[in-house]
Amino acid sequence: MGTDTVRTPPADGAADLKSEQRGWYFYDWACSVYSTSVLTVFLGPYLTSVAESAADAGGYVHPLGIPVRAGSFFAYSVSLSVIVAVLVMPLVGAAADRTGRKKPLLAAAAYLGATATTAMFFLDGDRYLLGGALLIVANAAQSVAMMLYNSYLPQIAPPEQRDAVSSRGWAFGYAAGSLVLVANLVLYTGHDSFGVSESTAVRICLASAGLWWGAFALIPLRRLRDRRSATREAALPGFRQLAATVRDMRRHPLTLAFLLAYLVYNDGIQTVISQASVYGSEELGLGQSTLIGAILLVQVLAVAGALTMGRLARIYGAKRTILGSLVAWTLTLAAGYFLPAGAPVWFFVLAAGIGLVLGGSQALSRSLFSHLVPPGKEAEYFSAYEMSDRGMSWLGPLLFGLTYQLTGSYRDAIISLVGFFVIGFALLARVPVRRAIEEAGNPVPDRI
């Protein structure tokens, strides 16, 4: 299925790799504004309001004749986008590995997502179906593009550089997310002074994320290059390709063991990100401006956190640094349990703690996984990694919701998430990373 030459051919000079690495960083810079401004801040409330304007007297909309509560339409659209991505990613990943043509596939996914996001400018009135369709396309395309983007890491960075390169990529993404979110918030909060309605301001913010994504995606597409694969097998269709990828991964049980640990603690991370604002508003009684400010603080500090943890990984190794971050996540949640209501300062302290460990946890997990991928299987294996990141994070929100339902306390709900970090820590600690790298057929870095 390929050889080590697929990764970093001897002909690749240091200057060429540096140029590719700089281009690679800019894809995170390009696409992260979608995650921050569109998914996290603006689209959910806005699409819900559009669906509510189209709802019948009972509060239902009827996509394809199916009765759906207007307030649930955004969540269902996100879920459907994840299903589409899960079906498409293994197929695209296998095709990328077996043809060696990642860049055209990355371009297609990136510009499909950017175009759908830009078209959200036309989401007004009662066009909830348009909004749902654009969200499904943009979110699925983002997942596919990120899978391809991540799979470049083993090819553009030698083992000893991978933690630093991955961390810089995350830092670039969070920096862009912060910059664009500030500009969006200036427009949104001062829309009257700019002579536009609140609805128009939101649509401009949504479309600007798509334009930013498409414009800066040109940089990685110019600098990254394809490595031709010696294997020319055709990718299998749909679920057959997913099943084939899973069967192949079973031949590397230690890689699967890491992926299981990542699935567990990442579920906790994603749940904290998605539910922190609910905790702040419902339990602590904080206003929308405080919550948006906290989101911005997380974005800014995640830049410093990613770079700092990248440096720590050079000293202590990626595995130990990730384990340390999981301890920090546990302590942060424990502190969050005791936050006083109506005290935004302490909520900002909590946000600062989340920001400092967020970027590094994700960046080092990506770089560590890159060592565990068999040569020539980068995109295929990163499709499974991306599915763990985006498609499997359902247990945390379920536990959060059930805990609140049973106890009536968001404090109990937030502390229940500690289990994901404790279990993830235990699972990761048991993975013999050096042996896993050797069994995957890769060189073992001095520090891992």
Side-chain angles (χ1 to χ4, degrees):
M1 284 294 180
T3 66
D4 288 339
T5 58
V6 175
R7 295 244 167 162
T8 307
D12 289 352
D16 291 336
L17 285 181
K18 285 290 184 185
S19 177
E20 282 195 272
Q21 289 169 9
R22 286 191 289 268
W24 187 79
Y25 301 148
F26 268 97
Y27 189 74
D28 238 326
W29 175 273
C31 72
S32 290
V33 298
Y34 168 81
S35 300
T36 304
S37 289
V38 177
L39 271 187
T40 304
V41 178
F42 288 109
L43 185 58
Y46 184 70
L47 181 56
T48 299
S49 69
V50 172
E52 287 171 347
S53 70
D56 60 21
Y60 286 84
V61 291
H62 300 269
L64 305 177
I66 302 170
V68 173
R69 282 196 180 275
S72 301
F73 182 73
F74 173 74
Y76 288 150
S77 297
V78 172
S79 297
L80 185 54
S81 75
V82 170
I83 293 171
V84 172
V86 166
L87 292 176
V88 173
M89 278 193 291
L91 180 64
V92 175
D97 286 333
R98 290 167 182 173
T99 65
R101 293 180 58 80
K102 288 182 188 177
K103 192 156 72 170
L105 294 170
L106 175 61
Y111 282 102
L112 181 60
T115 300
T117 305
T118 304
M120 290 177 186
F121 179 79
F122 302 103
L123 175 57
D124 61 354
D126 59 359
R127 297 177 179 175
Y128 75 96
L129 280 176
L130 174 65
L134 292 175
L135 169 58
I136 291 166
V137 171
N139 221 34
Q142 161 74 332
S143 296
V144 172
M146 282 302 296
M147 174 267 294
L148 293 165
Y149 162 75
N150 287 337
S151 72
Y152 271 100
L153 180 59
Q155 298 180 334
I156 64 170
E160 66 277 6
Q161 293 182 12
R162 234 169 264 171
D163 293 336
V165 170
S166 182
S167 297
R168 288 190 201 111
W170 277 105
F172 263 62
Y174 281 116
S178 303
L179 180 65
V180 175
L181 184 56
V182 168
N184 288 161
L185 291 178
V186 168
L187 174 61
Y188 176 71
T189 57
H191 60 85
D192 287 335
S193 61
F194 288 101
V196 297
S197 66
E198 181 178 324
S199 171
T200 301
V202 171
R203 292 189 291 116
I204 291 173
C205 292
L206 295 173
S208 68
L211 294 173
W212 178 283
W213 185 357
F216 284 103
L218 290 171
I219 298 174
L221 291 173
R222 282 180 62 87
R223 293 200 174 188
L224 292 172
R225 65 183 184 83
D226 286 331
R227 274 82 171 169
R228 298 297 180 189
S229 172
T231 305
R232 295 289 178 180
E233 300 175 22
L236 299 171
F239 279 113
R240 289 178 60 197
Q241 181 58 59
L242 177 58
T245 300
V246 171
R247 282 197 302 272
D248 188 77
M249 293 188 76
R250 289 173 63 186
R251 296 171 48 235
H252 301 280
L254 296 181
T255 300
L256 270 178
F258 171 81
L259 200 58
L260 175 62
Y262 173 74
L263 187 154
V264 172
Y265 69 73
N266 183 64
D267 200 347
I269 291 173
Q270 297 303 321
T271 306
V272 172
I273 293 171
S274 65
Q275 301 302 322
S277 60
V278 175
Y279 183 66
S281 61
E282 299 298 325
E283 184 68 33
L284 305 181
L286 302 177
Q288 186 69 17
S289 60
T290 299
L291 299 176
I292 293 177
I295 291 171
L296 183 57
L297 180 63
V298 168
Q299 295 289 313
V300 171
L301 290 181
V303 177
L307 295 175
T308 299
M309 288 182 64
R311 294 188 184 99
L312 290 174
R314 289 203 296 270
I315 301 172
Y316 301 105
K319 179 182 174 180
R320 287 193 185 93
T321 307
I322 295 171
L323 289 172
S325 78
L326 298 182
V327 173
W329 274 107
T330 302
L331 295 176
T332 300
L333 285 183
Y337 178 84
F338 295 103
L339 284 186
V345 171
W346 289 109
F347 189 73
F348 280 117
V349 172
L350 179 69
I354 291 173
L356 288 173
V357 293
L358 174 61
S361 303
Q362 295 172 315
L364 294 180
S365 297
R366 175 172 65 185
S367 60
L368 183 54
F369 183 71
S370 74
H371 293 287
L372 308 180
V373 177
K377 293 279 189 178
E378 292 86 2
E380 194 171 345
Y381 272 57
F382 267 107
S383 69
Y385 181 87
E386 193 69 16
M387 281 188 283
S388 298
D389 190 15
R390 296 174 186 270
M392 305 300 180
S393 296
W394 55 271
L395 186 58
L398 177 62
L399 177 62
F400 186 92
L402 285 175
T403 304
Y404 176 75
Q405 182 172 328
L406 293 173
T407 67
S409 169
Y410 281 107
R411 293 185 187 273
D412 291 340
I414 203 76
I415 203 67
S416 71
L417 301 179
V418 164
F420 289 95
F421 299 103
V422 173
I423 296 171
F425 181 100
L427 292 173
L428 178 58
R430 291 172 57 87
V431 178
V433 171
R434 289 186 174 275
R435 183 152 61 91
I437 296 172
E438 291 172 350
E439 291 184 4
N442 296 316
V444 181
D446 295 333
R447 291 284 185 184
I448 194 64

